Amino acid sequence: MLLCICLLFTIAAATSAQGISTADGKIKMTIVTTAGCGDTVNFITKQLSPVYDKFSEHLILEFVPWGRTRRNRNGGLVCQFGTKDCFANRVHRCTLDMLKNNQYNQVKYMVCEFSLRSAYKNADLTCAKNAGVNLSELESCVKTPKGDILDAEDEAKAAEPMRVVNFVPAIAFNGVSDYSVQRAARTDLKTLVCGALQADPSTRSSVTGFC
Ligand SMILES: *[C@@H]1O[C@H](CO)[C@@H](O)[C@H](O)[C@H]1NC(C)=O
């Protein structure tokens, strides 16, 4: 019996050493997405959505809809999956900005976009409409300099995670990018988040039953 307990502690310690930690009881995730990307669809719908439903109060999420976007010689955007990808990413950026004081709605919005793929496939604003944003304000953000400012912000935020992880979605925890942690997050986000929340005495009791 004693031996088993020791072994369990050893495994838990090893897991958290390779994993992630909380900061003030929270885990900040930066998620670099791009609309046309199947791996982003999988991550958001299969990993992030169920984990967010259970642990929303412990997560601080920042979406960066930029992916592998580059600039052409004139400063225009060149996106991994073409002009549809560019358009949808800009819709995502503008909508996320309009929802910036409501993380819950931001997450539900991104889950909608990566489930229906409506902005990407059909230039359709159903998910933004469902999220309750003002569509005429959204359309003007997509077309105007407001959208350009958001482009530059996300270009800057995506640079480090994309350089280190070189994969979309790139996922950074508490501002740190690491390929093996990103891979663990893509394959089993729940285990990674549980490890961090169980290792923190301030959050341990609140996740009992979920982890
Ligand atoms: C949407 O925003 C526009 C421009 O700010 C405003 O004139 C309009 O009344 C808004 N529509 C709704 C339904 O709130």
CSV table of all heavy atoms in Angstrom, one decimal, residues 145-178:
chain,number,residue,atom,x,y,z
A,145,PRO,N,-9.5,50.6,-41.1
A,145,PRO,CA,-8.2,50.6,-40.4
A,145,PRO,C,-8.3,49.9,-39.0
A,145,PRO,O,-7.3,49.5,-38.5
A,145,PRO,CB,-7.9,52.1,-40.2
A,145,PRO,CG,-8.6,52.7,-41.4
A,145,PRO,CD,-9.8,51.9,-41.7
A,146,LYS,N,-9.5,49.8,-38.4
A,146,LYS,CA,-9.6,49.1,-37.1
A,146,LYS,C,-9.1,47.7,-37.3
A,146,LYS,O,-8.3,47.2,-36.5
A,146,LYS,CB,-11.1,49.1,-36.7
A,146,LYS,CG,-11.4,48.3,-35.4
A,146,LYS,CD,-10.7,48.9,-34.2
A,146,LYS,CE,-11.1,48.0,-33.0
A,146,LYS,NZ,-10.3,48.3,-31.8
A,147,GLY,N,-9.5,47.1,-38.4
A,147,GLY,CA,-9.0,45.7,-38.7
A,147,GLY,C,-7.5,45.7,-38.9
A,147,GLY,O,-6.9,44.7,-38.5
A,148,ASP,N,-7.0,46.8,-39.5
A,148,ASP,CA,-5.5,46.8,-39.7
A,148,ASP,C,-4.7,46.8,-38.3
A,148,ASP,O,-3.7,46.2,-38.2
A,148,ASP,CB,-5.1,48.0,-40.5
A,148,ASP,CG,-5.6,48.0,-41.9
A,148,ASP,OD1,-6.0,46.9,-42.4
A,148,ASP,OD2,-5.7,49.1,-42.5
A,149,ILE,N,-5.3,47.5,-37.4
A,149,ILE,CA,-4.7,47.6,-36.1
A,149,ILE,C,-4.7,46.2,-35.4
A,149,ILE,O,-3.7,45.8,-34.8
A,149,ILE,CB,-5.4,48.6,-35.1
A,149,ILE,CG1,-5.2,50.1,-35.7
A,149,ILE,CG2,-4.9,48.5,-33.7
A,149,ILE,CD1,-6.1,51.1,-35.1
A,150,LEU,N,-5.8,45.5,-35.5
A,150,LEU,CA,-5.9,44.2,-34.9
A,150,LEU,C,-5.0,43.2,-35.6
A,150,LEU,O,-4.4,42.4,-35.0
A,150,LEU,CB,-7.4,43.7,-35.0
A,150,LEU,CG,-8.4,44.5,-34.2
A,150,LEU,CD1,-9.8,43.9,-34.5
A,150,LEU,CD2,-8.1,44.5,-32.7
A,151,ASP,N,-4.8,43.4,-37.0
A,151,ASP,CA,-3.9,42.6,-37.7
A,151,ASP,C,-2.5,42.7,-37.1
A,151,ASP,O,-1.8,41.7,-36.8
A,151,ASP,CB,-3.7,43.1,-39.2
A,151,ASP,CG,-4.9,42.8,-40.0
A,151,ASP,OD1,-5.8,42.0,-39.6
A,151,ASP,OD2,-5.0,43.3,-41.2
A,152,ALA,N,-2.0,43.9,-36.9
A,152,ALA,CA,-0.7,44.2,-36.4
A,152,ALA,C,-0.5,43.6,-35.0
A,152,ALA,O,0.5,43.1,-34.6
A,152,ALA,CB,-0.4,45.7,-36.4
A,153,GLU,N,-1.5,43.7,-34.1
A,153,GLU,CA,-1.5,43.2,-32.8
A,153,GLU,C,-1.3,41.7,-32.8
A,153,GLU,O,-0.4,41.1,-32.1
A,153,GLU,CB,-2.7,43.5,-32.0
A,153,GLU,CG,-2.8,45.0,-31.6
A,153,GLU,CD,-4.2,45.3,-30.9
A,153,GLU,OE1,-5.0,44.4,-30.7
A,153,GLU,OE2,-4.3,46.5,-30.6
A,154,ASP,N,-2.1,41.0,-33.7
A,154,ASP,CA,-2.0,39.6,-33.7
A,154,ASP,C,-0.7,39.1,-34.4
A,154,ASP,O,-0.2,38.0,-34.0
A,154,ASP,CB,-3.3,39.0,-34.3
A,154,ASP,CG,-4.4,38.9,-33.3
A,154,ASP,OD1,-4.2,39.3,-32.2
A,154,ASP,OD2,-5.5,38.4,-33.7
A,155,GLU,N,-0.3,39.8,-35.3
A,155,GLU,CA,1.0,39.5,-36.0
A,155,GLU,C,2.1,39.5,-34.9
A,155,GLU,O,2.9,38.5,-34.9
A,155,GLU,CB,1.3,40.6,-37.0
A,155,GLU,CG,2.6,40.3,-37.8
A,155,GLU,CD,2.8,41.3,-38.9
A,155,GLU,OE1,2.3,42.4,-38.8
A,155,GLU,OE2,3.5,41.0,-39.9
A,156,ALA,N,2.1,40.5,-34.0
A,156,ALA,CA,3.1,40.5,-33.0
A,156,ALA,C,2.9,39.4,-32.0
A,156,ALA,O,3.9,38.8,-31.5
A,156,ALA,CB,3.0,41.9,-32.3
A,157,LYS,N,1.7,39.1,-31.6
A,157,LYS,CA,1.4,38.1,-30.6
A,157,LYS,C,1.8,36.7,-31.1
A,157,LYS,O,2.1,35.8,-30.3
A,157,LYS,CB,0.0,38.1,-30.1
A,157,LYS,CG,-0.4,39.2,-29.2
A,157,LYS,CD,-1.9,39.2,-28.9
A,157,LYS,CE,-2.4,40.5,-28.3
A,157,LYS,NZ,-3.9,40.6,-28.3
A,158,ALA,N,1.6,36.5,-32.4
A,158,ALA,CA,1.8,35.1,-33.0
A,158,ALA,C,3.3,34.8,-33.2
A,158,ALA,O,3.7,33.7,-33.3
A,158,ALA,CB,1.1,35.0,-34.3
A,159,ALA,N,4.1,35.9,-33.2
A,159,ALA,CA,5.5,35.7,-33.7
A,159,ALA,C,6.3,34.7,-32.8
A,159,ALA,O,6.8,33.7,-33.4
A,159,ALA,CB,6.2,37.0,-33.7
A,160,GLU,N,6.3,34.8,-31.5
A,160,GLU,CA,7.1,33.9,-30.7
A,160,GLU,C,6.5,32.5,-30.7
A,160,GLU,O,7.3,31.5,-30.9
A,160,GLU,CB,7.2,34.5,-29.3
A,160,GLU,CG,7.8,33.6,-28.2
A,160,GLU,CD,9.3,33.6,-28.3
A,160,GLU,OE1,9.9,34.2,-29.2
A,160,GLU,OE2,9.9,32.9,-27.5
A,161,PRO,N,5.2,32.3,-30.4
A,161,PRO,CA,4.7,30.9,-30.4
A,161,PRO,C,4.9,30.2,-31.8
A,161,PRO,O,5.3,29.1,-31.8
A,161,PRO,CB,3.2,31.1,-30.2
A,161,PRO,CG,3.0,32.4,-29.5
A,161,PRO,CD,4.2,33.3,-29.9
A,162,MET,N,4.8,31.0,-32.9
A,162,MET,CA,5.0,30.3,-34.2
A,162,MET,C,6.5,30.0,-34.4
A,162,MET,O,6.8,29.0,-35.0
A,162,MET,CB,4.4,31.2,-35.3
A,162,MET,CG,2.9,31.2,-35.4
A,162,MET,SD,2.2,29.5,-35.5
A,162,MET,CE,2.9,29.0,-37.1
A,163,ARG,N,7.3,30.9,-34.0
A,163,ARG,CA,8.8,30.6,-34.1
A,163,ARG,C,9.2,29.4,-33.4
A,163,ARG,O,9.9,28.5,-33.9
A,163,ARG,CB,9.6,31.8,-33.6
A,163,ARG,CG,11.1,31.7,-33.9
A,163,ARG,CD,11.8,32.9,-33.3
A,163,ARG,NE,11.8,33.0,-31.9
A,163,ARG,CZ,12.5,32.2,-31.0
A,163,ARG,NH1,13.3,31.3,-31.5
A,163,ARG,NH2,12.3,32.3,-29.7
A,164,VAL,N,8.7,29.3,-32.1
A,164,VAL,CA,9.1,28.1,-31.2
A,164,VAL,C,8.4,26.8,-31.6
A,164,VAL,O,9.1,25.8,-31.8
A,164,VAL,CB,8.9,28.5,-29.8
A,164,VAL,CG1,9.2,27.3,-28.9
A,164,VAL,CG2,9.7,29.7,-29.3
A,165,VAL,N,7.1,26.9,-31.8
A,165,VAL,CA,6.3,25.7,-32.0
A,165,VAL,C,6.2,25.3,-33.4
A,165,VAL,O,6.2,24.1,-33.8
A,165,VAL,CB,4.9,25.9,-31.3
A,165,VAL,CG1,4.0,24.7,-31.7
A,165,VAL,CG2,5.0,26.1,-29.8
A,166,ASN,N,6.1,26.3,-34.3
A,166,ASN,CA,6.1,26.1,-35.8
A,166,ASN,C,5.0,25.1,-36.1
A,166,ASN,O,5.2,24.2,-36.9
A,166,ASN,CB,7.4,25.6,-36.3
A,166,ASN,CG,7.5,25.8,-37.8
A,166,ASN,OD1,6.7,26.5,-38.4
A,166,ASN,ND2,8.3,25.0,-38.5
A,167,PHE,N,3.8,25.3,-35.6
A,167,PHE,CA,2.7,24.4,-35.8
A,167,PHE,C,1.4,25.2,-35.5
A,167,PHE,O,1.4,26.0,-34.6
A,167,PHE,CB,2.7,23.2,-34.9
A,167,PHE,CG,1.8,22.1,-35.2
A,167,PHE,CD1,2.2,21.0,-36.0
A,167,PHE,CD2,0.4,22.1,-34.8
A,167,PHE,CE1,1.3,20.0,-36.3
A,167,PHE,CE2,-0.4,21.1,-35.2
A,167,PHE,CZ,0.0,20.0,-35.9
A,168,VAL,N,0.4,25.0,-36.3
A,168,VAL,CA,-0.9,25.6,-36.1
A,168,VAL,C,-1.9,24.6,-35.7
A,168,VAL,O,-2.1,23.6,-36.5
A,168,VAL,CB,-1.4,26.4,-37.3
A,168,VAL,CG1,-2.7,27.2,-37.0
A,168,VAL,CG2,-0.3,27.4,-37.8
A,169,PRO,N,-2.6,24.7,-34.6
A,169,PRO,CA,-2.5,25.8,-33.6
A,169,PRO,C,-1.2,25.8,-32.8
A,169,PRO,O,-0.8,24.7,-32.3
A,169,PRO,CB,-3.7,25.5,-32.7
A,169,PRO,CG,-3.9,24.0,-32.7
A,169,PRO,CD,-3.5,23.6,-34.1
A,170,ALA,N,-0.6,26.9,-32.6
A,170,ALA,CA,0.4,27.1,-31.7
A,170,ALA,C,-0.2,27.4,-30.3
A,170,ALA,O,-1.2,28.2,-30.3
A,170,ALA,CB,1.4,28.2,-32.1
A,171,ILE,N,0.2,26.8,-29.3
A,171,ILE,CA,-0.4,27.0,-28.0
A,171,ILE,C,0.7,27.3,-27.0
A,171,ILE,O,1.6,26.5,-26.8
A,171,ILE,CB,-1.2,25.7,-27.5
A,171,ILE,CG1,-2.2,25.3,-28.6
A,171,ILE,CG2,-2.0,26.0,-26.2
A,171,ILE,CD1,-2.5,23.8,-28.6
A,172,ALA,N,0.6,28.4,-26.3
A,172,ALA,CA,1.5,28.8,-25.3
A,172,ALA,C,0.8,28.9,-23.9
A,172,ALA,O,-0.4,29.3,-23.9
A,172,ALA,CB,2.2,30.1,-25.6
A,173,PHE,N,1.5,28.4,-22.9
A,173,PHE,CA,0.9,28.5,-21.5
A,173,PHE,C,1.7,29.5,-20.7
A,173,PHE,O,2.9,29.5,-20.6
A,173,PHE,CB,1.0,27.1,-20.9
A,173,PHE,CG,0.1,26.1,-21.5
A,173,PHE,CD1,0.5,25.3,-22.5
A,173,PHE,CD2,-1.2,26.0,-21.1
A,173,PHE,CE1,-0.4,24.4,-23.1
A,173,PHE,CE2,-2.1,25.1,-21.7
A,173,PHE,CZ,-1.7,24.3,-22.7
A,174,ASN,N,0.9,30.4,-20.1
A,174,ASN,CA,1.5,31.5,-19.2
A,174,ASN,C,2.7,32.2,-20.0
A,174,ASN,O,3.7,32.5,-19.4
A,174,ASN,CB,2.0,30.9,-17.9
A,174,ASN,CG,0.8,30.2,-17.1
A,174,ASN,OD1,-0.3,30.7,-17.2
A,174,ASN,ND2,1.1,29.1,-16.5
A,175,GLY,N,2.5,32.4,-21.3
A,175,GLY,CA,3.4,33.1,-22.0
A,175,GLY,C,4.6,32.3,-22.5
A,175,GLY,O,5.5,32.9,-23.1
A,176,VAL,N,4.7,31.0,-22.2
A,176,VAL,CA,5.9,30.2,-22.5
A,176,VAL,C,5.5,29.2,-23.7
A,176,VAL,O,4.5,28.5,-23.6
A,176,VAL,CB,6.4,29.4,-21.3
A,176,VAL,CG1,7.6,28.5,-21.7
A,176,VAL,CG2,6.7,30.3,-20.2
A,177,SER,N,6.2,29.3,-24.7
A,177,SER,CA,6.0,28.4,-25.9
A,177,SER,C,7.0,27.2,-25.8
A,177,SER,O,8.2,27.4,-25.6
A,177,SER,CB,6.2,29.1,-27.2
A,177,SER,OG,5.3,30.1,-27.3
A,178,ASP,N,6.5,26.0,-26.0
A,178,ASP,CA,7.3,24.8,-25.9
A,178,ASP,C,6.6,23.7,-26.8
A,178,ASP,O,5.4,23.5,-26.6
A,178,ASP,CB,7.4,24.3,-24.4
A,178,ASP,CG,8.2,23.1,-24.3
A,178,ASP,OD1,7.6,22.0,-24.5
A,178,ASP,OD2,9.4,23.2,-24.0
